Amino acid sequence: MKFTFRLPIGFVAGLLLGSTGAMAQTAAFSCPKPGTVEQRGSYTSKYTGTSPGDPFVCVGTNSFDKPFGRLFNWYGPIYSKTPNLRQGMLDLISGRQTHVSFTFEEGSTENWTFLRREDVTIAGRAVHAMVFDHERQRFPSSRHPFHGRYTQWLDPVNGLWVKSVLTASDGEIAMEAKPYQDTLITIP
């Protein structure tokens, strides 16, 4: 009698090299399924799927029925020219990296660091989220600079950023994203 075992290379490498925090965070990212509805107070996003030819650009309409397309359901089209943005976020979300940094065309910078996995309760339902530290410095040499640090919760399976807490800030906050937590998520 002969038995054959086939193990993924990553599993074997993990056994040989030992477990690391980066391996512990491994998760796949998928955009929200068509028909998914996400609510944050009075703001609603209705998802229609992904951009043709790009499975990481999530598309839908907002509360005003205006269409949007966001890379990893976070970055709008203006950031698409940023070198290494796509690969860096993919490496971060997949667990190949625990920290990534980006410098944007206008001089703003962002640093993302994986912190942990954690459940967040949304409308009585546990969401298995990845938690990140997100440091943002916008327009450092302008008259309205901003430097802030957020904690962000991502549901990578459903492609939803379900919670954001501003933990530190300095400068002009009016143009920045406000802290939030999803109040309702409907997934078909």
Side-chain angles (χ1 to χ4, degrees):
M1 193 179 282
K2 180 179 178 185
F3 291 98
T4 303
F5 292 98
R6 294 178 191 228
L7 299 174
I9 292 173
F11 178 79
V12 174
L15 289 175
L16 296 174
L17 300 174
S19 179
T20 67
M23 293 180 81
Q25 81 189 54
T26 301
F29 178 89
S30 297
C31 284
K33 293 177 185 173
T36 297
V37 178
E38 177 183 30
Q39 292 180 312
R40 296 179 184 149
S42 63
Y43 187 83
T44 302
S45 294
K46 297 175 185 173
Y47 294 91
T48 56
T50 61
S51 178
D54 193 337
F56 299 119
V57 174
C58 310
V59 295
T61 57
N62 65 19
S63 293
F64 308 103
D65 287 327
K66 288 191 175 185
F68 62 78
R70 297 184 293 242
L71 181 63
F72 296 106
N73 207 10
W74 186 264
Y75 290 104
I78 192 169
Y79 298 105
S80 64
K81 295 179 185 177
T82 302
N84 303 319
L85 177 66
R86 171 185 300 276
Q87 189 60 51
M89 288 302 286
L90 188 58
D91 287 347
L92 182 69
I93 292 169
S94 70
R96 289 188 294 268
Q97 297 289 327
T98 56
H99 177 83
V100 294
S101 298
F102 308 109
T103 300
F104 300 101
E105 226 172 57
E106 81 286 354
S108 298
T109 60
E110 290 191 7
N111 296 296
W112 290 83
T113 304
F114 172 76
L115 299 175
R116 63 189 175 276
R117 296 207 44 108
E118 177 177 287
D119 284 352
V120 177
T121 302
I122 307 291
R125 174 180 155 295
V127 174
H128 307 295
M130 298 175 75
V131 184
F132 300 95
D133 176 70
H134 177 204
E135 181 183 18
R136 190 169 151 69
Q137 186 164 1
R138 178 181 44 86
F139 310 127
S141 60
S142 78
R143 293 184 319 147
H144 303 286
F146 171 80
H147 182 225
R149 183 169 241 122
Y150 296 84
T151 303
Q152 309 273 170
W153 284 258
L154 168 66
D155 172 359
V157 174
N158 294 302
L160 299 170
W161 294 89
V162 297
K163 183 176 177 180
S164 174
V165 174
L166 180 61
T167 57
S169 68
D170 183 34
E172 178 63 53
I173 195 165
M175 294 175 54
E176 291 301 311
K178 307 299 182 258
Y180 64 84
Q181 180 167 334
D182 283 359
T183 54
L184 183 64
I185 299 170
T186 306
I187 300 172

